[in-house]
C-alpha cells in the first residue's frame, strides 16, 4: 500500500492547465499568422520565426545561466507562454523589418520584462507589448518604414488594384488620423480582410476575430473584455469626431486594435482579478486609446495597454469584492 | 412530470459528477468484519468515555462509550462480540483517537434496542436523538441534538439532499429507496426543533428523487447542479434567498440544515428505537473493482470494505475518505469508519490531481469560482509570504475550504492547503 499518495484536498482538478491555455492562445493566433504570411510573403514568415526562436532561446539562456537549470528542466517547465510572446512580437513587426530588431525585441521582452520579475505570471507588463514598444522607440521603425503593401493587391471591393489610391507603405490608420477619413483609399472591407499595410499580424480583422472566437469558445477569455475595449474605442472616436459615425468602423478595424484587444490586453497576468476591475480596466483602455489616437495622430494601442498594465495593481488594490454575507459594520456611536 | 425551477447560489464550479459509477447500485448490507475498531471521537466535541473494558461481552446496540460535555455524543456497539481492548489509532481526519477494539463473535442474533418512546413530542424526540448518538452525518459530525436547539428563533428546516460532491451516491440511494422513512425522519427533526416548515433541497442530477419526494407531498426545491451546492450557506441562499452573514450560522437567518442521512438516522432512532451504529456509505472510484452503496457497521476497517468490494485495481493512486473535493487522502487502510464516513473512494492517477504547483498567472478563475466571493489568489500569496493578516483581509476566515478555487486553478496552486496553513498559524498565535 506504499504507493498510495497522500495530499491535501481537493483531489480533483479541472482539465485546463497553464500549458493548455497557452497552447490554445497559440492556436488562436494561427489564422492571423497564416493570413500574415499569405499577404506579406516569405519575409513575414522569417520575421515571426526569428521572433519565436529568439524568445525561446532567451528563456533557455536565462534559465540555464541564472537559474542553473538543465535543458531537461527547462523543457519540463516550458509552458508555451514564451511561444505566445515570441509569436506576438513577430506579429507586431513590419514585414520588412531588419532581422536583428525582432531578436532584440524578444530578448528584451523575455529577459528584462518577464524572467527578471520571476517568470510566467510575475511580469507587471505584457512582455510582447514592452518588447514592441522598446524597439519601436529605440529604432524608430514607425518613422523609418518597413511597412509594405500586401502582395495580394486585388481590392476586396473588386474595383481595380488596391495599391493605387494609397501611399505605398503607410498604414490606413496613420492616413486617416493625419488627414481625415477621406485620406485613405482603403475600404472598410479591405481593412476587415487585411488587404492593407500594417504589421504582419494586425491587419486582418477577420483572422483575429476567428482566433478570438476560438478563445471564447475554449473558455480562455471572456468575450466581454475585447468587446468592451473595441466598442468603447470605436464609440469614443465617434464622440471625439463630433458624433460622426463614419469613424466607427475605420477606427476599430484599422491599426493594432483587434490584435491588442483580443490577444494582448486580455493577457491574464496583466489584467485585474475581478469582474468589476476588468470593466474599469477595459473601459479605461478604450477611452485612452481613442483619446491618444485623436490627439497624437499615430497608433497608440500598445502604449495604452502598457499604461493600463501599470495601473492594474492599483485597480486590484481598491476593487475587492465583498465576501458572501458581508454586512457593513454599524457605525460606532460617539467620537 | 412537474416542472421544477432550478435555484442556485452565486459563483461555484461545474464538473462531471462521476455518479454514474455507483448510481445504479442498490443498497446492500455488508457482512460484519472479523474485528471492528470503534472510535470514541466520531463527533466534533470532546471524545466519549469508554464504559467497557477488555474481556467484556457486548451486544449490537449496546452503549459502549458515554457522552462528555455539551458537544458530546454516545457511541454504541455495532457488532456482538468481545472487547479486546482500547487502542490508540489514527482516525480518517488524521488525528489520534482511542478506538474500542471488538472481536466479532459467531452469534449475531442479539440486538439491544433503545426503550420504545411512549409519546413523541418535542422534548422526547430531542432527547432520543441525543440518546441514539446521532451526529451530523454529512461529514461535520456536529451533535444533532445541539444543532436542533438553536439559540435564536428559527422557522425553516432544510434537508440537504444536494450531495454535490462528485462520486458519492449514498444520499441518492437513500432518498430513492427509503423516501418515506427520510421524510418521516425529517418531520421528527423539525418536531424536535419546534418548527413546521421542512424543505428538501435536491440537486438537479437527482430529478427522480425530487419527483418522488414531491409526489409524496414533501416541499422540494430543485437546485442547479453546481459545486458546492450542498454547503450550508450556499444551500440556504438557493432555497430561500437568505444570506448567512460572515462568521454567522444558519440560525442567524432562521434556518436549521440537516443532512439526508441524519434524517434517516432520526427516523431509525424514533420509530425503530435503533441507535446510530451503522450507516450507508458509497464505495466508488475507477480503481476499485466493484462500486457499491453499502450499509457498514461502525468501526469497520477500510481494508475490510475494500476486500468486500473486490479489492483495489493495480492503478490505484489515492484512497479518499469522504468526497474528492473536501475529503481526506488516506494511506493507511487500517483506519476504520465512523458515523460521518459517507464514502470511500479509490482514484486512479488519471482521475486525481498529482500536478506540481506552478506560478500563479493571475487568471482570476479562483475568484470567479469562490462561492464566498473571496480572493483565493491573494489568500495563497500572502499566506506563503508569511503575511497572515493580509491573507485574513482577503477572506481566509470566511473560507470553508470547499476546494473550488484549487480545482479550477490552471497553475495548480494548492490554495486550500495555504488557507489551512494560515488558519493554523493564526490559532497558534492566539495561544
Amino acid at each position: 500500500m506504499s504507493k498510495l499518495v497522500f495530499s491535501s484536498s481537493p483531489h480533483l482538478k479541472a482539465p485546463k492547465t497553464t500549458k493548455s491555455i497557452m497552447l490554445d492562445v497559440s492556436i488562436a493566433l494561427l489564422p492571423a499568422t497564416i493570413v500574415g504570411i499569405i499577404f506579406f510573403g516569405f519575409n513575414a514568415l522569417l520575421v515571426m520565426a526569428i521572433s519565436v526562436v529568439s524568445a525561446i532561446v532567451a528563456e533557455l539562456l536565462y534559465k540555464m545561466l541564472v537559474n542553473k537549470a538543465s535543458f531537461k528542466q527547462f523543457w519540463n517547465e516550458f509552458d508555451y507562454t514564451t511561444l505566445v510572446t515570441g509569436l506576438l512580437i513577430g506579429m507586431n513587426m513590419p514585414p520588412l523589418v531588419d532581422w536583428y530588431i525582432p531578436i532584440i525585441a524578444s530578448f528584451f521582452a523575455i529577459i528584462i520584462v518577464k524572467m527578471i520579475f520571476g517568470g510566467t505570471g510575475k511580469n507587471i507588463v505584457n512582455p510582447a507589448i514592452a518588447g514592441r514598444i522598446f524597439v519601436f522607440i529605440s529604432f524608430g521603425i514607425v518613422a523609418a518604414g518597413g511597412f509594405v503593401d500586401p502582395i495580394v493587391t486585388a481590392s476586396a471591393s473588386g474595383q481595380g488594384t488596391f495599391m493605387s489610391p494609397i501611399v505605398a507603405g503607410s498604414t490606413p490608420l496613420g492616413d486617416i488620423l493625419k488627414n481625415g477619413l477621406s485620406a485613405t483609399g482603403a475600404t472598410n472591407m479591405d481593412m476587415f480582410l487585411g488587404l492593407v499595410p500594417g504589421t504582419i499580424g494586425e491587419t486582418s480583422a477577420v483572422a483575429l476575430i476567428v482566433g478570438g472566437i476560438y478563445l471564447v469558445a475554449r473558455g480562455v477569455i471572456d468575450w466581454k473584455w475585447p468587446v468592451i475595449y473595441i466598442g468603447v474605442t470605436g464609440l469614443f472616436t465617434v464622440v471625439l469626431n463630433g458624433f460622426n459615425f463614419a469613424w466607427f468602423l475605420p477606427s476599430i478595424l484599422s491599426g493594432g486594435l483587434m490584435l491588442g484587444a483580443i490577444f494582448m490586453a486580455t493577457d491574464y497576468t496583466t489584467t485585474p482579478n475581478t469582474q468589476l476591475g476588468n470593466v474599469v480596466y477595459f473601459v479605461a483602455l478604450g477611452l485612452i486609446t481613442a483619446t491618444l489616437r485623436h490627439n497624437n495622430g499615430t497608433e497608440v494601442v500598445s502604449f495604452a495597454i502598457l499604461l493600463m498594465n501599470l495601473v492594474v495593481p492599483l485597480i486590484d488594490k481598491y476593487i475587492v469584492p465583498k465576501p458572501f454575507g458581508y454586512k457593513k459594520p454599524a457605525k460606532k456611536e460617539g467620537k | 412530470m412537474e416542472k421544477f425551477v432550478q435555484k442556485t447560489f452565486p459563483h461555484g464550479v461545474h464538473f462531471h459528477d462521476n455518479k454514474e459509477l455507483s448510481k445504479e447500485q442498490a443498497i446492500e448490507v455488508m457482512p460484519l468484519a472479523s474485528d471492528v475498531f470503534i472510535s470514541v471521537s466520531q463527533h466534533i466535541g470532546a471524545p466519549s468515555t469508554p464504559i467497557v473494558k477488555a474481556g467484556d461481552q457486548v451486544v449490537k446496540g449496546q452503549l459502549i462509550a458515554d457522552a462528555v460535555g455539551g458537544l458530546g455524543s454516545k457511541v454504541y456497539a455495532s457488532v456482538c462480540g468481545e472487547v479486546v481492548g482500547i487502542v490508540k489509532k489514527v482516525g480518517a481526519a488524521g488525528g489520534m483517537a482511542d478506538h474500542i477494539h471488538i472481536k466479532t463473535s459467531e452469534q449475531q442474533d442479539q440486538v439491544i434496542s433503545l426503550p420504545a418512546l411512549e409519546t413523541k413530542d418535542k422534548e422526547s424526540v430531542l432527547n432520543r436523538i441525543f440518546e441514539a448518538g446521532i451526529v451530523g452525518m454529512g461529514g461535520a459530525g456536529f451533535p444533532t441534538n445541539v444543532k436542533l436547539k438553536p439559540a435564536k428563533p428559527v422557522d425553516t428546516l432544510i434537508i440537504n439532499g444536494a450531495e454535490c460532491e462528485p462520486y458519492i451516491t449514498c444520499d441518492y440511494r437513500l432518498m430513492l429507496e427509503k423516501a418515506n422513512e427520510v421524510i418521516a425522519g425529517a418531520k421528527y427533526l423539525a418536531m424536535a426543533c419546534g418548527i413546521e416548515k421542512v424543505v428538501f433541497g435536491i440537486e438537479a442530477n437527482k430529478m427522480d428523487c425530487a419527483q418522488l419526494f414531491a409526489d409524496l407531498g414533501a416541499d422540494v426545491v430543485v437546485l442547479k447542479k453546481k459545486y458546492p451546492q450542498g454547503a450550508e450557506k450556499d444551500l440556504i441562499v438557493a432555497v430561500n434567498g437568505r444570506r448567512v452573514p460572515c462568521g454567522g450560522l444558519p440560525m442567524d437567518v432562521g434556518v436549521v440544515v440537516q443532512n439526508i442521512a441524519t434524517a434517516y438516522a432520526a427516523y431509525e432512532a424514533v420509530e425503530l428505537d435503533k441507535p446510530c451504529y451503522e450507516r450507508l456509505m458509497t464505495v466508488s472510484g475507477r480503481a476499485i473493482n466493484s462500486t457499491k452503496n453499502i450499509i457498514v457497521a461502525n468501526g469497520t476497517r477500510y481494508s475490510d470494505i475494500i476486500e468486500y468490494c473486490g479489492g483495489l485495481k493495480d492503478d490505484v493512486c489515492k484512497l479518499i475518505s469522504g468526497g474528492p473535493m473536501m475529503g481526506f487522502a488516506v494511506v493507511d487502510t487500517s483506519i476504520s469508519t465512523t458515523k460521518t464516513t459517507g464514502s470511500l473512494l479509490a482514484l486512479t492517477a488519471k482521475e486525481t490531481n498529482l500536478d506540481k504547483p506552478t506560478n500563479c498567472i493571475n487568471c482570476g478563475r479562483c475568484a470567479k469560482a469562490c462561492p464566498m466571493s473571496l480572493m483565493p489568489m491573494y489568500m495563497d500569496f500572502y499566506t506563503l509570504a508569511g503575511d497572515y493578516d493580509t491573507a485574513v483581509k482577503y477572506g481566509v476566515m470566511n473560507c470553508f475550504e470547499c476546494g473550488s478555487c484549487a480545482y479550477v486553478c490552471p497553475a495548480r496552486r494548492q490554495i486550500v492547503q495555504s488557507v489551512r496553513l494560515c488558519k493554523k498559524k493564526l490559532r497558534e498565535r492566539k495561544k
Side-chain angles (χ1 to χ4, degrees), chain A residues 47-57 82-83 86-88 90 106:
Chain A
V47 169
M48 288 191 287
I50 290 174
S51 310
V52 170
V53 170
S54 55
I56 293 172
V57 167
T82 312
L83 177 71
L87 197 52
L88 281 172
S106 285

Side-chain angles (χ1 to χ4, degrees), chain B residues 264-286:
Chain B
Y264 183 69
Y267 163 82
E268 286 190 319
V270 176
E271 291 262 321
L272 310 178
D273 306 312
K274 180 181 157 192
C276 179
Y277 57 75
E278 58 186 19
R279 71 158 295 157
L280 180 64
M281 65 185 282
T282 300
V283 184
S284 186
R286 290 192 170 79

Side-chain angles (χ1 to χ4, degrees), chain B residues 108-355:
Chain B
Q108 288 294 337
D109 40 10
Q110 258 185 304
V111 180
I112 298 182
S113 293
L114 298 167
L117 280 183
E118 283 166 17
T119 53
K120 287 168 187 152
D121 56 17
K122 187 173 177 337
E123 285 310 311
S124 64
V125 171
L126 192 59
N127 189 48
R128 170 51 53 96
I129 284 165
F130 167 67
E131 286 295 327
I134 297 175
V135 299
M137 293 173 88
F142 196 84
T144 303
N145 59 304
V146 180
K147 216 174 166 185
L148 291 173
K149 269 187 303 191
K152 291 182 183 170
V154 290
D155 56 22
T156 310
L157 170 68
I158 298 177
I159 302 293
N160 186 353
E163 201 170 48
C164 58
E165 282 261 16
Y167 294 90
I168 305 179
T169 53
C170 56
D171 286 355
Y172 168 77
R173 289 312 304 184
L174 206 53
M175 282 191 276
L176 207 59
E177 295 185 39
K178 309 272 184 199
N180 284 311
E181 289 85 342
V182 169
I183 293 172
K187 281 188 183 138
Y188 288 125
L189 290 174
M191 184 193 277
C193 206
I195 49 185
E196 298 280 306
K197 192 172 169 60
V198 183
V199 184
F200 288 85
I202 300 176
E203 218 175 61
N205 56 356
K206 293 178 274 290
M207 280 314 283
D208 40 354
C209 296
Q211 189 64 49
L212 180 63
F213 272 58
D215 291 345
L216 290 170
D219 193 351
V220 175
V221 171
V222 175
L223 309 163
K224 212 167 167 182
K225 182 182 160 317
K226 197 165 79 175
Y227 182 85
Q229 185 65 72
E232 270 187 341
K233 291 181 177 184
D234 297 315
L235 179 69
I236 295 168
V237 75
V239 168
N240 61 15
R242 299 179 194 171
R243 281 174 177 250
V244 179
C246 292
L249 290 169
M251 66 179 178
D252 292 326
V253 292
V255 175
V256 173
V257 179
Q258 294 288 357
N259 182 264
I260 291 282
T262 314
Y264 183 69
Y267 163 82
E268 286 190 319
V270 176
E271 291 262 321
L272 310 178
D273 306 312
K274 180 181 157 192
C276 179
Y277 57 75
E278 58 186 19
R279 71 158 295 157
L280 180 64
M281 65 185 282
T282 300
V283 184
S284 186
R286 290 192 170 79
I288 191 116
N289 278 316
S290 61
T291 59
K292 284 184 192 312
N293 294 298
I294 44 176
I295 294 176
V296 178
N298 198 344
T300 306
R301 282 169 301 184
Y302 289 165
S303 51
D304 293 322
I305 297 172
I306 291 166
E307 201 188 312
Y308 178 66
C309 293
L312 297 170
K313 289 181 187 162
D314 284 339
D315 55 354
V316 63
C317 173
K318 259 190 205 177
L319 206 56
I320 295 160
S321 169
M325 293 298 283
M326 290 183 76
F328 303 93
V330 292
V331 286
D332 177 5
T333 53
S334 72
I335 290 172
S336 52
T337 65
T338 66
K339 295 170 189 173
T340 57
T341 311
S343 65
L344 179 65
L345 307 175
L347 302 184
T348 60
K350 220 175 148 189
E351 289 173 277
T352 185
N353 175 21
L354 297 173
D355 295 354

